[in-house]
Amino acid sequence: MQFATLALAALASVASAQRVTVVRVAQNGSLTYTPNDIRVNVGEMVQFQFAAGNHTVTQSTFDQPCQPISMHSNVTGFHSGFVPAAASAAQNQMSIFTINVTNTNPMWIYCAQGRHCENGMVMVINAPTAAGTNRTLANHRALAAQANTVVPGGGLAPGGGGGNNGGVNGAIPGAPGGNPGGNTGTDANNNPATAGASVLTPATYMLLAAAGFAALL
Ligand SMILES: [Cu+2]
């Protein structure tokens, strides 16, 4: 209880200075991020709340959905790790993962669990706005349906796989020499891929009392 009170106080002090956009992960057990297409200004935060299941919040490029951005650019990107919501819920708590947005380049995000990404568990922060752009969330999801999920540092996700294992495994991020280093990820303006965000908390997520959370919203 004391921890929960401290955590709430810490968050409240931050929230008073910065706008926080909340994204629910697996709302009602669905394989979704809600909302999944958001605009966030530089200096603002996005807080992912893990509502159910065991999911991740992981950054990819537009062109290679379901795979870490580090596989296809020289950007490390962010990755929440796997977050089992039930473990926190059993303690009347909620796991969250918060990023601080540091530029307005598009950030494409997927869940690295199983085939969630292939099944559409993707989202975007600051999608390209250029007239006629084909780099839309709908098109990204269509690409994701054809992808093979890769877990950062862990190879193909359970249930992933298919025909491209050889090529994919050769570039697993975190493996020695595995980062190709090329700026293959670009946005509509042909800017190199950038992480665009920093992870706010030293640990990848923190726990917060569910009751205190409701009071904030
Ligand atoms: Cu998932």
Side-chain angles (χ1 to χ4, degrees):
M1 191 58 198
Q2 187 174 13
F3 167 78
T5 302
L6 288 172
L8 178 60
L11 183 67
S13 66
V14 172
S16 66
Q18 289 179 287
R19 188 174 74 123
V20 179
T21 300
V22 170
V23 174
R24 296 278 289 178
V25 180
Q27 180 86 43
N28 300 321
S30 60
L31 300 184
T32 57
Y33 300 101
T34 308
N36 62 3
D37 191 347
I38 61 175
R39 308 217 73 84
V40 180
N41 296 319
V42 172
E44 296 179 346
M45 297 186 295
V46 179
Q47 180 182 89
F48 297 91
Q49 301 180 353
F50 293 85
N54 188 0
H55 304 274
T56 80
V57 172
T58 308
Q59 189 176 10
S60 73
T61 63
F62 172 87
D63 294 292
Q64 278 87 17
C66 313
Q67 302 188 352
I69 191 172
S70 59
M71 277 183 66
H72 303 288
S73 74
N74 56 10
V75 170
T76 301
F78 53 80
H79 172 52
S80 65
F82 289 91
V83 182
S88 298
Q91 303 172 62
N92 197 31
Q93 293 179 322
M94 175 181 292
S95 295
I96 62 174
F97 175 72
T98 306
I99 60 172
N100 190 33
V101 173
T102 57
N103 66 48
T104 56
N105 289 343
M107 285 183 276
W108 303 91
I109 294 168
Y110 73 101
C111 176
Q113 179 68 270
R115 293 181 60 79
H116 293 188
C117 181
E118 288 91 324
N119 289 323
M121 195 167 182
V122 296
M123 69 167 287
V124 61
I125 300 173
N126 295 329
T129 56
T133 181
N134 61 2
R135 302 173 86 80
T136 63
L137 179 59
N139 286 344
H140 183 66
R141 184 184 281 118
L143 287 173
Q146 308 299 320
N148 286 319
T149 290
V150 174
V151 180
L156 287 170
N164 296 325
N165 291 13
V168 167
N169 285 339
I172 290 173
N179 191 334
N183 271 331
T184 55
T186 57
D187 66 14
N189 300 317
N190 215 32
N191 293 322
T194 63
S198 58
V199 175
L200 191 69
T201 46
T204 52
Y205 62 92
M206 59 185 271
L207 297 175
L208 195 66
F213 220 90
L216 270 182
L217 299 178

